[in-house]
Amino acid sequence: MTPAADRPHTDDTLPNGLRLVAVHTPAAPLAEIRLVLPWARTAPRLAAAQRLLAACLGTGARTPGGRLRTRQDIADRAADLGAELSTVVTPESLVLSAGVLAEGLPGALGLLADLLLRPVHQEREIALAHARLPAPGARPLGRNLLRTALLTDAFGAHPLLAPPAPDAAAGPPTAADLHALHRRAVVPAGSVLLITGDADPRRTADTAAQALADWSGGPSGLVLPPFARPGPRPGRTRLTDPEAGQALVLTAGPAARGDAALHLAQLVLGGHASGRLARRVRDRHGLAYAVSATLRENRAGAWLETEAAGALGTADRIAAEVTGCLHELAADGPTPDEFERARAYALGFTRFALATRAEEATALAGFLAAGLPLHWLDDHRSALTALTPARVAEAAARFLDPRHTALATLDTPPAPPGPEPVLPASAPPEPVPHGHHPHETESPA
């Protein structure tokens, strides 16, 4: 498929602050809509309402004429248009998605406008959503607990790492609370709307602008601030948990956004099934059954994270092997075969990520929300093609050195030492067979 940036497209900022991008997708009978709202948990007091509002969006709205649309009415209207609506929450964003038959796009945009401009949060829908959500005070899973501890020690305290606040003493958020948060956070300023389809992009953009002309407000301020430190502080964090079902090892190393050489170094380390971590920690030593290396980026910062899970009691051994693997790759760089396999995997994955119209729309909306251009992935693919093993070795030496990496382990507490055996005072010494020294070993013969 022709890169999105090379196809006809529009990129406008509407008077209400909404960035609206329409991209022509040839020979596609479907239109894809992606609305990305800033949704970071920056204020603990809003956390419960944010979780609940995200779950309740799409459960009630009014038409411009004032008629109530229930959850079922909204589902029926979407079905009539050939549309499918969904909502996804990430650490930074709330994403409203819709795929719709091309002729149903104006109606889908009208339905979206109802949800954004005239929401109705009914108490029974709030109660149902609240019952389905996990309790805010629930004990976090071991992996989440360990990652929070690791990143807090590595980068400092941050809203991204703060535990969810429990519901207020008065109970879960009310309809009034959700309406107040909707007015503050579901706003156009700071948000991005992407639409792809076979229609003329200018006509598509004009239709969307007209449908959302009355939407106002923002920016919401629900945007992650940067970490206190640009890179992780090296160190070791140890957590113990008597109820841990497995040993876990996590590391956080430095990273740079969009660095193609670092991307390949990460893949060689553990970004695919034949990465070094898997071959060493899992296959050679049999210490871990799940091993990975991932580049993580958001507005707070960027870091290279490795993860390994194994049997209880093995966390220290796994940590030693992971550290050794980082040291070797940082010192020697990838082999020619590792370099070629990683580059082929990366290039194939960039094509696979855009294999369908829906996947392309989701990826493009994510690039735009992160402040990247439409052509970012194409530029990244070109950078991967131009890389050399020497350049990847330089990135490995800079970013993978374990001396610059924070490490955290989670395992069960060590068993307390048992009591020393005590022999009775009157116990006679063991007899020594005639002709044998007490420290000799008898021959099997």
Side-chain angles (χ1 to χ4, degrees):
M1 185 190 302
T2 304
D6 294 339
R7 288 180 252 145
H9 66 275
T10 63
D11 190 342
D12 306 317
T13 299
L14 303 184
N16 59 10
L18 176 68
R19 185 179 180 187
L20 171 57
V21 178
V23 180
H24 182 249
T25 305
L30 296 175
E32 296 288 343
I33 302 170
R34 300 292 184 272
L35 175 64
V36 185
L37 304 164
W39 205 254
R41 195 183 66 220
T42 58
R45 64 182 181 82
L46 294 177
Q50 280 182 262
R51 294 164 69 244
L52 201 53
L53 179 55
C56 288
L57 276 176
T59 62
R62 293 193 182 278
T63 66
R67 181 173 63 84
L68 175 65
R69 277 183 166 155
T70 64
R71 177 201 295 268
Q72 188 60 54
D73 295 332
I74 293 169
D76 290 344
R77 175 58 176 157
D80 291 342
L81 296 168
E84 183 176 353
L85 305 176
S86 63
T87 303
V88 174
V89 178
T90 75
E92 292 190 274
S93 305
L94 173 64
V95 184
L96 299 179
S97 300
V100 61
L101 293 171
E103 60 269 22
L105 178 61
L109 289 170
L111 182 58
L112 178 64
D114 290 345
L115 300 178
L116 298 174
L117 276 69
R118 293 172 290 276
V120 174
H121 300 298
Q122 303 175 82
E123 293 292 351
R124 64 177 179 274
E125 293 288 357
I126 295 173
L128 179 61
H130 185 265
R132 290 175 173 172
L133 289 172
R139 187 174 186 272
L141 297 175
R143 181 176 284 102
N144 293 338
L145 193 70
L146 187 63
R147 180 173 286 117
T148 298
L150 170 68
L151 296 181
T152 300
D153 288 347
F155 293 104
H158 189 273
L160 179 67
L161 310 173
D167 289 342
T174 64
D177 296 328
L178 297 194
H179 277 291
L181 179 59
H182 190 110
R183 287 193 298 273
R184 170 185 169 173
V186 183
V187 290
S191 299
V192 173
L193 175 62
L194 172 84
I195 306 174
T196 65
D198 197 22
D200 174 66
R202 182 73 270 160
R203 187 168 72 250
T204 296
D206 291 344
T207 301
Q210 182 177 0
L212 300 176
D214 294 334
W215 191 25
S216 63
S220 67
L222 301 182
V223 177
L224 287 176
F227 284 136
R229 290 186 284 272
R233 180 177 62 186
R236 174 70 181 266
T237 301
R238 296 177 185 268
L239 298 185
T240 58
D241 183 355
E243 301 178 12
Q246 59 185 351
L248 291 172
V249 176
L250 294 177
T251 70
R257 299 177 187 276
D259 189 308
L262 174 59
H263 183 192
L264 284 199
Q266 167 254 326
L267 290 175
V268 171
L269 177 64
H272 57 97
S274 60
R276 280 202 190 183
L277 281 173
R279 298 201 312 271
R280 175 171 178 161
V281 181
R282 184 191 64 196
D283 301 341
R284 187 190 311 168
H285 296 291
L287 286 172
Y289 42 78
V291 187
S292 65
T294 307
L295 285 170
R296 299 192 179 277
E297 298 180 13
N298 53 44
R299 290 184 183 272
W303 67 98
L304 173 63
E305 181 176 291
T306 70
E307 177 178 348
L312 293 174
T314 63
D316 287 342
R317 293 175 62 197
I318 294 173
E321 294 299 334
V322 170
T323 300
C325 197
L326 287 167
H327 175 75
E328 287 181 0
L329 190 53
D332 302 330
T335 66
D337 285 346
E338 286 177 323
F339 169 80
E340 291 299 343
R341 282 199 306 268
R343 181 161 62 177
Y345 180 91
L347 290 170
F349 190 82
T350 58
R351 295 187 182 94
F352 179 75
L354 306 180
T356 69
R357 312 294 184 182
E359 288 165 342
E360 182 192 46
T362 299
L364 294 179
F367 298 155
L368 295 172
L372 301 172
L374 276 177
H375 54 75
W376 181 84
L377 192 60
D378 304 299
D379 292 347
H380 186 65
R381 187 183 294 117
S382 298
L384 290 171
T385 303
L387 280 176
T388 64
R391 176 68 186 86
V392 178
E394 291 173 3
R398 177 184 175 191
F399 294 108
L400 271 58
D401 190 330
R403 293 175 297 177
H404 306 148
T405 297
L407 184 147
T409 58
L410 174 69
D411 213 335
T412 55
E420 293 290 335
V422 178
L423 293 176
S426 59
E430 294 186 8
V432 178
H434 179 70
H436 285 67
H437 188 279
H439 297 292
E440 292 179 347
T441 301
E442 188 169 356
S443 169

